[in-house]
Amino acid sequence: MSHALIVVDVQNDFCPGGALAVPDGDRIVSGINALMAKAEAVILTQDWHPAGHSSFASSHAGKAPYDMTEMFYGPQVLWPDHCVQGSDGAAFHADLHADRADLIIRKGFRPEIDSYSAFFENDQKTPTGLEGYLRTRGITTLTMTGLATDFCVNFSAVDAAKLGFDVTVRMDLCRAIDMDGSLAAAQSTMAAAGVQMNG
Ligand code: VGL
Ligand code: ZN
């Protein structure tokens, strides 16, 4: 049985001053660095959208950030433009020891589908390839940290649990957007999926 630390979207746009800033998003960086230093395997995810991505409110006439829309795969929150491929906002937080990563998995690069989860895009069936990577390395146990607790960490953790991985979310090393009760909802969804939460 082998273990991996998954660090979700610790990118400038999700930190204070960024386009989709998560309150105190930068406070988790040093704790994550400490966990990475002793982890067996380290995987970073990176939200990586083309300009004009369909999850951006600016791509939908008459919509504002945080409005909802219907995509072909279901309801979707519309976000401010963020994590545009190659931009400073898409870069990892400067203090994150990103060089420690074995793998960086990028997601959200298809213009027409958003991807919160590190495993499947928001249509819940297009794979990112991470499952195959973990399985072929014999990794069965995951610790998850990062941003945002109620979106990308939540979706990643739930998918991992559904796929049969043993998943723990370190809540002290995550921060939430928390809109309209989304943090509490995410905690119930994760608990129901069998995700352990501690810290
Ligand atoms: C995220 C909203 C849009 C996240 C990514 O990393 O939680 N949230 N894109
Ligand atoms: Zn995004």
Coordinates of all heavy atoms in Angstrom, one line a residue, residues 3-96:
H3 N 1.2 5.6 -0.6 CA 0.5 6.8 -0.3 C 1.0 8.0 -1.2 O 2.1 8.1 -1.5 CB 0.8 7.2 1.2 CG 0.2 8.5 1.6 ND1 1.0 9.6 1.6 CD2 -1.0 8.8 2.0 CE1 0.2 10.7 2.0 NE2 -1.0 10.2 2.3
A4 N 0.0 8.9 -1.5 CA 0.4 10.1 -2.2 C -0.3 11.3 -1.6 O -1.4 11.2 -1.0 CB 0.0 10.1 -3.7
L5 N 0.4 12.4 -1.6 CA -0.1 13.7 -1.2 C -0.6 14.4 -2.4 O 0.2 14.6 -3.4 CB 0.9 14.5 -0.4 CG 0.6 16.0 -0.1 CD1 -0.6 16.0 0.9 CD2 1.8 16.7 0.4
I6 N -1.9 14.9 -2.4 CA -2.4 15.6 -3.6 C -2.6 17.1 -3.1 O -3.3 17.3 -2.2 CB -3.7 15.0 -4.1 CG1 -3.3 13.5 -4.6 CG2 -4.2 15.8 -5.3 CD1 -4.3 12.9 -5.4
V7 N -2.0 18.0 -3.8 CA -2.1 19.4 -3.5 C -2.9 20.1 -4.6 O -2.4 20.1 -5.8 CB -0.7 20.0 -3.4 CG1 -0.8 21.5 -3.0 CG2 0.2 19.3 -2.4
V8 N -4.1 20.5 -4.3 CA -5.0 21.0 -5.3 C -4.9 22.5 -5.5 O -5.1 23.3 -4.5 CB -6.5 20.6 -4.8 CG1 -7.5 21.2 -5.8 CG2 -6.6 19.1 -4.7
D9 N -4.6 23.0 -6.6 CA -4.7 24.3 -7.1 C -4.2 25.4 -6.2 O -4.9 26.5 -6.0 CB -6.2 24.6 -7.4 CG -6.8 23.7 -8.5 OD1 -6.1 22.9 -9.0 OD2 -8.0 23.9 -8.8
V10 N -3.0 25.3 -5.7 CA -2.4 26.3 -4.8 C -1.7 27.3 -5.8 O -0.5 27.3 -6.0 CB -1.4 25.8 -3.8 CG1 -0.8 26.9 -2.9 CG2 -2.2 24.8 -2.8
Q11 N -2.6 28.1 -6.4 CA -2.2 29.0 -7.5 C -2.5 30.5 -7.1 O -3.4 30.7 -6.3 CB -3.0 28.6 -8.8 CG -2.6 27.3 -9.3 CD -3.6 26.8 -10.4 OE1 -4.4 25.9 -10.1 NE2 -3.5 27.3 -11.6
N12 N -1.8 31.4 -7.7 CA -1.9 32.8 -7.4 C -3.3 33.3 -7.5 O -3.8 34.1 -6.6 CB -1.0 33.7 -8.3 CG 0.5 33.4 -7.9 OD1 0.8 33.2 -6.8 ND2 1.3 33.5 -9.0
D13 N -4.1 32.9 -8.5 CA -5.5 33.4 -8.6 C -6.4 33.0 -7.5 O -7.4 33.6 -7.2 CB -6.1 33.0 -9.9 CG -5.8 34.1 -11.0 OD1 -5.4 35.2 -10.7 OD2 -5.9 33.7 -12.2
F14 N -6.0 31.9 -6.7 CA -6.8 31.5 -5.6 C -6.3 32.0 -4.3 O -6.8 31.7 -3.2 CB -6.9 30.0 -5.6 CG -7.6 29.4 -6.8 CD1 -6.9 28.4 -7.6 CD2 -8.9 29.8 -7.2 CE1 -7.5 27.9 -8.7 CE2 -9.5 29.2 -8.3 CZ -8.8 28.3 -9.1
C15 N -5.3 32.9 -4.3 CA -4.7 33.4 -3.1 C -5.0 34.9 -3.0 O -5.4 35.5 -4.1 CB -3.2 33.2 -3.1 SG -2.8 31.5 -2.9
P16 N -4.9 35.5 -1.8 CA -5.3 36.9 -1.7 C -4.6 37.8 -2.8 O -3.4 37.6 -3.1 CB -4.8 37.3 -0.3 CG -4.9 36.0 0.4 CD -4.6 34.9 -0.6
G17 N -5.4 38.6 -3.4 CA -4.8 39.5 -4.5 C -5.1 38.8 -5.9 O -5.0 39.5 -6.9
G18 N -5.5 37.6 -5.9 CA -5.8 36.9 -7.2 C -7.2 37.1 -7.7 O -8.1 37.7 -7.0
A19 N -7.5 36.6 -8.9 CA -8.8 36.9 -9.6 C -9.9 36.2 -8.9 O -11.1 36.7 -8.9 CB -8.7 36.4 -11.0
L20 N -9.7 35.1 -8.2 CA -10.7 34.3 -7.6 C -10.2 33.9 -6.2 O -10.1 32.8 -5.8 CB -11.1 33.1 -8.4 CG -12.1 32.0 -8.0 CD1 -13.3 32.6 -7.3 CD2 -12.6 31.3 -9.3
A21 N -9.9 35.0 -5.4 CA -9.1 34.8 -4.2 C -10.0 34.0 -3.2 O -11.1 34.4 -2.9 CB -8.7 36.1 -3.6
V22 N -9.4 33.0 -2.6 CA -10.0 32.3 -1.5 C -9.4 32.9 -0.2 O -8.2 33.0 0.0 CB -9.6 30.8 -1.6 CG1 -10.2 30.0 -0.4 CG2 -10.0 30.2 -2.9
P23 N -10.3 33.3 0.8 CA -9.8 34.0 2.0 C -8.7 33.1 2.6 O -8.9 31.9 2.8 CB -11.1 34.1 2.9 CG -12.2 34.1 1.9 CD -11.8 33.3 0.7
D24 N -7.6 33.7 2.9 CA -6.5 33.1 3.6 C -5.9 31.9 2.8 O -5.3 31.0 3.4 CB -6.9 32.6 5.0 CG -7.1 33.7 6.0 OD1 -6.6 34.8 5.7 OD2 -7.9 33.5 6.9
G25 N -6.1 31.9 1.5 CA -5.6 30.8 0.7 C -4.1 30.6 0.8 O -3.6 29.5 0.6
D26 N -3.4 31.7 1.1 CA -1.9 31.6 1.1 C -1.5 31.0 2.5 O -0.3 30.7 2.6 CB -1.3 32.9 0.9 CG -1.8 34.0 1.8 OD1 -2.9 33.9 2.4 OD2 -1.1 35.1 1.9
R27 N -2.4 31.0 3.5 CA -1.9 30.6 4.8 C -1.6 29.1 4.9 O -1.0 28.6 5.9 CB -3.1 30.8 5.8 CG -3.4 32.2 6.0 CD -2.5 32.9 7.0 NE -3.0 34.2 7.3 CZ -3.8 34.4 8.4 NH1 -4.1 33.4 9.2 NH2 -4.3 35.7 8.6
I28 N -2.0 28.3 3.9 CA -1.8 26.9 4.0 C -0.4 26.4 3.3 O 0.0 25.3 3.5 CB -2.9 26.1 3.3 CG1 -3.0 26.4 1.8 CG2 -4.2 26.4 4.0 CD1 -4.2 25.7 1.1
V29 N 0.3 27.4 2.7 CA 1.4 27.0 1.9 C 2.5 26.4 2.7 O 3.1 25.3 2.4 CB 1.9 28.2 1.1 CG1 3.3 27.9 0.4 CG2 0.9 28.7 0.1
S30 N 2.9 27.0 3.9 CA 4.0 26.4 4.6 C 3.7 25.1 5.2 O 4.5 24.2 5.2 CB 4.5 27.4 5.7 OG 3.5 27.6 6.6
G31 N 2.4 24.9 5.6 CA 2.0 23.5 6.1 C 2.1 22.5 5.1 O 2.5 21.3 5.3
I32 N 1.7 22.9 3.8 CA 1.7 21.9 2.7 C 3.2 21.6 2.4 O 3.6 20.5 2.1 CB 1.0 22.5 1.5 CG1 -0.5 22.5 1.8 CG2 1.3 21.7 0.2 CD1 -1.4 23.2 0.7
N33 N 4.1 22.6 2.4 CA 5.5 22.4 2.1 C 6.1 21.3 3.1 O 6.8 20.5 2.7 CB 6.3 23.7 2.2 CG 6.1 24.6 1.0 OD1 5.8 24.1 -0.1 ND2 6.3 25.8 1.2
A34 N 5.6 21.5 4.4 CA 6.1 20.5 5.4 C 5.6 19.1 5.1 O 6.4 18.1 5.3 CB 5.7 21.0 6.8
L35 N 4.4 19.0 4.7 CA 3.9 17.6 4.4 C 4.5 17.1 3.1 O 4.9 15.9 3.1 CB 2.4 17.7 4.1 CG 1.3 17.5 5.2 CD1 0.0 17.2 4.5 CD2 1.7 16.4 6.1
M36 N 4.8 17.9 2.2 CA 5.4 17.5 0.9 C 6.8 16.9 1.2 O 7.2 15.9 0.6 CB 5.5 18.6 -0.1 CG 4.2 19.0 -0.7 SD 4.4 19.9 -2.3 CE 5.1 21.4 -1.8
A37 N 7.5 17.6 2.1 CA 8.9 17.2 2.4 C 9.0 15.7 2.9 O 10.0 15.1 2.6 CB 9.5 18.1 3.5
K38 N 7.9 15.2 3.5 CA 8.0 13.8 4.0 C 7.1 12.9 3.3 O 7.0 11.7 3.7 CB 7.8 13.8 5.5 CG 6.6 14.5 6.0 CD 6.5 14.6 7.5 CE 5.1 15.0 7.8 NZ 4.7 15.4 9.1
A39 N 6.4 13.3 2.2 CA 5.5 12.5 1.5 C 6.2 11.5 0.6 O 7.3 11.8 0.0 CB 4.5 13.3 0.7
E40 N 5.6 10.3 0.4 CA 6.2 9.3 -0.5 C 6.1 9.7 -1.9 O 6.9 9.4 -2.8 CB 5.3 8.0 -0.4 CG 5.9 6.9 0.3 CD 4.9 5.8 0.4 OE1 4.0 5.8 1.4 OE2 4.9 4.9 -0.5
A41 N 4.9 10.3 -2.3 CA 4.7 10.8 -3.7 C 3.9 12.1 -3.6 O 3.0 12.2 -2.7 CB 3.8 9.7 -4.4
V42 N 4.2 13.0 -4.4 CA 3.5 14.3 -4.4 C 3.0 14.7 -5.8 O 3.7 14.6 -6.8 CB 4.5 15.5 -4.0 CG1 3.8 16.8 -4.1 CG2 5.0 15.2 -2.6
I43 N 1.7 15.0 -5.8 CA 1.0 15.3 -7.1 C 0.4 16.7 -6.9 O -0.3 16.9 -5.9 CB -0.1 14.3 -7.4 CG1 0.6 13.0 -7.8 CG2 -0.9 14.8 -8.6 CD1 0.1 11.8 -7.2
L44 N 0.7 17.6 -7.8 CA 0.0 19.0 -7.7 C -1.0 19.0 -8.8 O -0.8 18.5 -9.9 CB 1.1 20.1 -8.0 CG 2.3 20.2 -7.2 CD1 3.1 21.4 -7.6 CD2 2.0 20.2 -5.7
T45 N -2.1 19.7 -8.5 CA -3.1 20.0 -9.6 C -3.0 21.4 -9.9 O -2.7 22.3 -9.1 CB -4.5 19.6 -9.4 OG1 -5.1 20.5 -8.4 CG2 -4.6 18.1 -8.8
Q46 N -3.3 21.8 -11.2 CA -3.2 23.2 -11.7 C -4.4 23.5 -12.5 O -4.5 22.8 -13.6 CB -1.8 23.3 -12.4 CG -1.5 24.8 -12.7 CD -0.1 24.9 -13.3 OE1 0.4 24.0 -13.9 NE2 0.5 26.1 -13.1
D47 N -5.2 24.4 -12.1 CA -6.4 24.8 -12.9 C -5.8 25.6 -14.1 O -4.9 26.5 -13.9 CB -7.2 25.8 -12.0 CG -8.7 25.7 -12.3 OD1 -9.2 24.6 -12.6 OD2 -9.3 26.8 -12.2
W48 N -6.2 25.3 -15.3 CA -5.5 25.7 -16.5 C -6.4 25.9 -17.7 O -6.6 25.0 -18.5 CB -4.5 24.5 -16.8 CG -3.3 24.8 -17.7 CD1 -3.2 24.3 -19.0 CD2 -2.2 25.7 -17.4 NE1 -2.0 24.8 -19.5 CE2 -1.4 25.6 -18.6 CE3 -1.8 26.4 -16.3 CZ2 -0.2 26.3 -18.7 CZ3 -0.6 27.1 -16.4 CH2 0.2 27.1 -17.6
H49 N -7.0 27.1 -17.6 CA -8.1 27.4 -18.6 C -7.6 28.2 -19.8 O -6.8 29.2 -19.6 CB -9.2 28.2 -17.9 CG -9.8 27.6 -16.7 ND1 -10.4 26.3 -16.8 CD2 -10.0 28.0 -15.5 CE1 -10.9 26.0 -15.6 NE2 -10.7 27.0 -14.8
P50 N -8.1 27.9 -21.0 CA -7.8 28.8 -22.1 C -8.6 30.1 -21.9 O -9.6 30.1 -21.3 CB -8.3 28.0 -23.3 CG -9.3 27.0 -22.8 CD -8.9 26.7 -21.4
A51 N -8.1 31.2 -22.5 CA -8.8 32.4 -22.5 C -10.2 32.2 -23.1 O -10.3 31.4 -24.0 CB -8.0 33.5 -23.3
G52 N -11.2 32.8 -22.5 CA -12.6 32.7 -23.0 C -13.2 31.4 -22.6 O -14.2 30.9 -23.2
H53 N -12.7 30.7 -21.6 CA -13.2 29.4 -21.1 C -14.7 29.6 -20.8 O -15.2 30.6 -20.3 CB -12.4 29.0 -19.9 CG -12.7 27.6 -19.5 ND1 -13.5 27.2 -18.4 CD2 -12.4 26.4 -20.1 CE1 -13.6 25.9 -18.3 NE2 -12.9 25.4 -19.3
S54 N -15.5 28.5 -21.0 CA -16.9 28.5 -20.8 C -17.3 28.6 -19.3 O -18.5 28.9 -19.0 CB -17.5 27.2 -21.4 OG -17.0 26.1 -20.8
S55 N -16.4 28.5 -18.4 CA -16.7 28.7 -17.0 C -16.6 30.1 -16.5 O -16.8 30.5 -15.4 CB -15.8 27.8 -16.1 OG -14.5 28.3 -16.0
F56 N -16.1 31.0 -17.5 CA -15.9 32.4 -17.1 C -17.2 33.2 -17.4 O -17.8 33.0 -18.5 CB -14.8 33.0 -18.0 CG -13.4 32.5 -17.8 CD1 -12.4 32.8 -18.7 CD2 -13.1 31.6 -16.7 CE1 -11.1 32.3 -18.5 CE2 -11.8 31.1 -16.6 CZ -10.8 31.4 -17.4
A57 N -17.7 34.0 -16.4 CA -18.9 34.8 -16.7 C -18.7 35.7 -17.9 O -19.7 35.9 -18.6 CB -19.1 35.6 -15.4
S58 N -17.5 36.1 -18.1 CA -17.2 37.0 -19.3 C -17.5 36.4 -20.6 O -17.6 37.0 -21.6 CB -15.8 37.5 -19.2 OG -14.9 36.4 -19.4
S59 N -17.6 35.0 -20.6 CA -17.9 34.3 -21.9 C -19.4 34.2 -22.1 O -19.9 33.6 -23.1 CB -17.3 32.9 -21.9 OG -16.0 33.0 -21.6
H60 N -20.3 34.7 -21.2 CA -21.7 34.6 -21.3 C -22.4 35.9 -21.2 O -22.3 36.6 -20.2 CB -22.3 33.7 -20.2 CG -21.7 32.3 -20.2 ND1 -22.3 31.2 -20.7 CD2 -20.4 31.9 -19.7 CE1 -21.5 30.1 -20.5 NE2 -20.4 30.5 -20.0
A61 N -23.0 36.4 -22.3 CA -23.6 37.7 -22.3 C -24.6 37.8 -21.2 O -25.4 36.9 -21.0 CB -24.3 37.9 -23.7
G62 N -24.6 38.9 -20.5 CA -25.6 39.2 -19.5 C -25.4 38.5 -18.1 O -26.2 38.6 -17.2
K63 N -24.3 37.7 -18.0 CA -24.0 37.0 -16.8 C -22.9 37.7 -16.0 O -22.0 38.4 -16.6 CB -23.5 35.6 -17.1 CG -24.6 34.7 -17.7 CD -25.7 34.3 -16.6 CE -26.6 33.2 -17.1 NZ -27.7 33.0 -16.2
A64 N -22.9 37.6 -14.7 CA -21.9 38.2 -13.8 C -21.2 37.0 -13.1 O -21.8 35.9 -12.9 CB -22.6 39.1 -12.8
P65 N -20.0 37.3 -12.6 CA -19.4 36.2 -11.8 C -20.3 35.8 -10.6 O -21.0 36.6 -10.0 CB -18.1 36.9 -11.2 CG -17.8 37.9 -12.3 CD -19.1 38.4 -12.8
Y66 N -20.3 34.5 -10.4 CA -21.0 33.8 -9.3 C -22.5 33.6 -9.7 O -23.2 32.9 -8.9 CB -20.9 34.5 -7.9 CG -19.4 34.7 -7.6 CD1 -18.8 36.0 -7.7 CD2 -18.5 33.7 -7.3 CE1 -17.5 36.2 -7.5 CE2 -17.2 33.9 -7.0 CZ -16.7 35.2 -7.2 OH -15.3 35.4 -7.0
D67 N -22.9 34.0 -10.9 CA -24.2 33.6 -11.4 C -24.1 32.1 -11.8 O -23.0 31.6 -11.9 CB -24.6 34.4 -12.7 CG -25.0 35.8 -12.4 OD1 -25.2 36.1 -11.2 OD2 -25.2 36.5 -13.4
M68 N -25.3 31.5 -11.9 CA -25.3 30.1 -12.4 C -25.7 30.1 -13.9 O -26.3 31.0 -14.4 CB -26.4 29.3 -11.7 CG -26.2 29.2 -10.2 SD -24.8 28.2 -9.7 CE -25.2 26.6 -10.5
T69 N -25.3 29.0 -14.6 CA -25.8 28.8 -15.9 C -26.0 27.3 -16.1 O -25.6 26.5 -15.2 CB -24.8 29.3 -17.0 OG1 -25.4 29.4 -18.3 CG2 -23.5 28.5 -17.1
E70 N -26.6 26.9 -17.2 CA -26.8 25.5 -17.6 C -25.7 25.2 -18.7 O -25.8 25.8 -19.7 CB -28.2 25.3 -18.2 CG -29.3 24.9 -17.2 CD -28.9 23.7 -16.3 OE1 -28.5 22.6 -16.8 OE2 -29.1 23.9 -15.1
M71 N -24.9 24.2 -18.4 CA -24.0 23.7 -19.4 C -24.6 22.4 -19.9 O -25.6 21.9 -19.3 CB -22.6 23.4 -18.8 CG -22.0 24.6 -18.1 SD -21.4 25.8 -19.3 CE -19.8 26.1 -18.6
F72 N -24.0 21.8 -20.9 CA -24.6 20.6 -21.5 C -24.5 19.4 -20.5 O -25.3 18.5 -20.5 CB -23.9 20.2 -22.8 CG -22.5 19.7 -22.6 CD1 -22.2 18.3 -22.4 CD2 -21.4 20.6 -22.7 CE1 -20.9 17.9 -22.2 CE2 -20.1 20.1 -22.6 CZ -19.9 18.8 -22.3
Y73 N -23.7 19.6 -19.4 CA -23.6 18.6 -18.4 C -24.3 18.9 -17.1 O -24.2 18.2 -16.1 CB -22.1 18.3 -18.1 CG -21.2 19.5 -17.9 CD1 -21.3 20.2 -16.6 CD2 -20.4 20.0 -18.9 CE1 -20.5 21.3 -16.4 CE2 -19.6 21.2 -18.6 CZ -19.7 21.8 -17.4 OH -18.9 22.9 -17.2
G74 N -25.0 20.1 -17.1 CA -25.7 20.4 -15.9 C -25.4 21.8 -15.4 O -24.8 22.6 -16.1
P75 N -25.9 22.2 -14.2 CA -25.7 23.5 -13.7 C -24.2 23.8 -13.4 O -23.4 22.9 -13.0 CB -26.5 23.6 -12.4 CG -26.9 22.2 -12.1 CD -26.6 21.3 -13.3
Q76 N -23.8 25.0 -13.6 CA -22.4 25.4 -13.4 C -22.3 26.8 -12.9 O -23.0 27.7 -13.4 CB -21.7 25.3 -14.8 CG -20.4 26.0 -15.0 CD -19.2 25.3 -14.4 OE1 -19.1 24.1 -14.6 NE2 -18.3 26.0 -13.8
V77 N -21.5 27.1 -11.9 CA -21.2 28.4 -11.4 C -20.4 29.1 -12.4 O -19.4 28.5 -12.9 CB -20.5 28.4 -10.0 CG1 -20.3 29.8 -9.5 CG2 -21.2 27.6 -9.0
L78 N -20.6 30.4 -12.7 CA -19.8 31.2 -13.5 C -18.8 32.0 -12.7 O -19.2 32.6 -11.7 CB -20.6 32.1 -14.4 CG -21.5 31.3 -15.4 CD1 -22.4 32.3 -16.1 CD2 -20.6 30.6 -16.5
W79 N -17.5 31.9 -13.1 CA -16.4 32.5 -12.3 C -15.9 33.7 -12.9 O -16.0 33.9 -14.2 CB -15.3 31.4 -12.1 CG -15.8 30.2 -11.5 CD1 -16.0 29.0 -12.1 CD2 -16.2 30.0 -10.1 NE1 -16.5 28.1 -11.2 CE2 -16.6 28.6 -10.0 CE3 -16.2 30.8 -9.0 CZ2 -17.0 28.1 -8.7 CZ3 -16.6 30.3 -7.8 CH2 -17.0 28.9 -7.7
P80 N -15.2 34.6 -12.1 CA -14.3 35.6 -12.8 C -13.3 34.9 -13.7 O -12.9 33.7 -13.4 CB -13.7 36.3 -11.6 CG -14.3 35.8 -10.4 CD -15.0 34.5 -10.7
D81 N -12.8 35.5 -14.7 CA -11.7 34.9 -15.4 C -10.5 34.6 -14.5 O -10.2 35.4 -13.6 CB -11.1 36.0 -16.5 CG -12.1 36.3 -17.6 OD1 -13.3 36.0 -17.4 OD2 -11.6 36.7 -18.7
H82 N -10.0 33.4 -14.5 CA -9.0 33.0 -13.6 C -8.1 31.9 -14.2 O -8.6 31.2 -15.1 CB -9.6 32.5 -12.3 CG -10.4 31.2 -12.4 ND1 -11.7 31.2 -12.9 CD2 -10.1 29.9 -12.2 CE1 -12.1 30.0 -13.0 NE2 -11.2 29.2 -12.6
C83 N -6.9 31.7 -13.7 CA -6.0 30.6 -14.1 C -6.0 30.4 -15.6 O -6.1 29.3 -16.1 CB -6.4 29.3 -13.4 SG -6.2 29.5 -11.6
V84 N -5.8 31.5 -16.3 CA -5.6 31.5 -17.7 C -4.2 30.9 -18.0 O -3.2 31.3 -17.5 CB -5.9 32.8 -18.4 CG1 -5.5 32.8 -19.9 CG2 -7.3 33.3 -18.2
Q85 N -4.2 29.9 -18.9 CA -3.0 29.2 -19.3 C -1.8 30.2 -19.5 O -1.9 31.1 -20.3 CB -3.2 28.4 -20.5 CG -4.2 27.3 -20.3 CD -4.6 26.6 -21.6 OE1 -4.2 26.9 -22.7 NE2 -5.5 25.6 -21.5
G86 N -0.7 30.0 -18.8 CA 0.5 30.8 -18.9 C 0.5 32.1 -18.2 O 1.6 32.8 -18.2
S87 N -0.6 32.5 -17.6 CA -0.6 33.8 -16.9 C 0.0 33.6 -15.5 O 0.2 32.5 -15.0 CB -2.1 34.2 -16.7 OG -2.8 33.4 -15.8
D88 N 0.3 34.8 -14.9 CA 0.8 34.8 -13.5 C -0.2 34.2 -12.5 O 0.2 33.5 -11.6 CB 1.0 36.3 -13.2 CG 2.4 36.4 -12.6 OD1 3.3 35.8 -13.1 OD2 2.5 37.1 -11.5
G89 N -1.5 34.5 -12.8 CA -2.5 33.9 -11.9 C -2.6 32.4 -11.9 O -3.0 31.8 -10.9
A90 N -2.2 31.8 -13.0 CA -2.2 30.4 -13.1 C -1.0 29.7 -12.5 O -0.9 28.5 -12.2 CB -2.3 29.9 -14.6
A91 N 0.1 30.5 -12.2 CA 1.3 30.0 -11.6 C 1.0 29.5 -10.2 O 0.2 30.1 -9.5 CB 2.4 31.0 -11.7
F92 N 1.8 28.6 -9.7 CA 1.7 28.2 -8.3 C 2.2 29.3 -7.4 O 3.0 30.1 -7.8 CB 2.6 26.9 -8.1 CG 2.1 25.7 -8.8 CD1 2.8 25.1 -9.8 CD2 0.9 25.2 -8.4 CE1 2.3 24.0 -10.5 CE2 0.4 24.0 -9.0 CZ 1.1 23.5 -10.1
H93 N 1.7 29.4 -6.2 CA 2.1 30.4 -5.2 C 3.6 30.3 -5.1 O 4.2 29.2 -5.1 CB 1.5 30.1 -3.9 CG 1.7 31.1 -2.8 ND1 2.9 31.3 -2.2 CD2 0.9 32.1 -2.3 CE1 2.9 32.3 -1.4 NE2 1.7 32.8 -1.4
A94 N 4.3 31.5 -5.1 CA 5.7 31.5 -5.2 C 6.4 30.7 -4.1 O 7.5 30.2 -4.3 CB 6.2 32.9 -5.2
D95 N 5.8 30.6 -2.9 CA 6.4 29.9 -1.8 C 6.2 28.4 -1.8 O 6.8 27.7 -1.0 CB 5.9 30.5 -0.5 CG 6.3 32.0 -0.3 OD1 7.3 32.4 -0.9 OD2 5.6 32.7 0.4
L96 N 5.3 28.0 -2.6 CA 5.0 26.5 -2.7 C 6.2 25.8 -3.3 O 6.7 26.2 -4.3 CB 3.7 26.2 -3.5 CG 3.3 24.8 -3.6 CD1 2.6 24.4 -2.2 CD2 2.3 24.5 -4.7

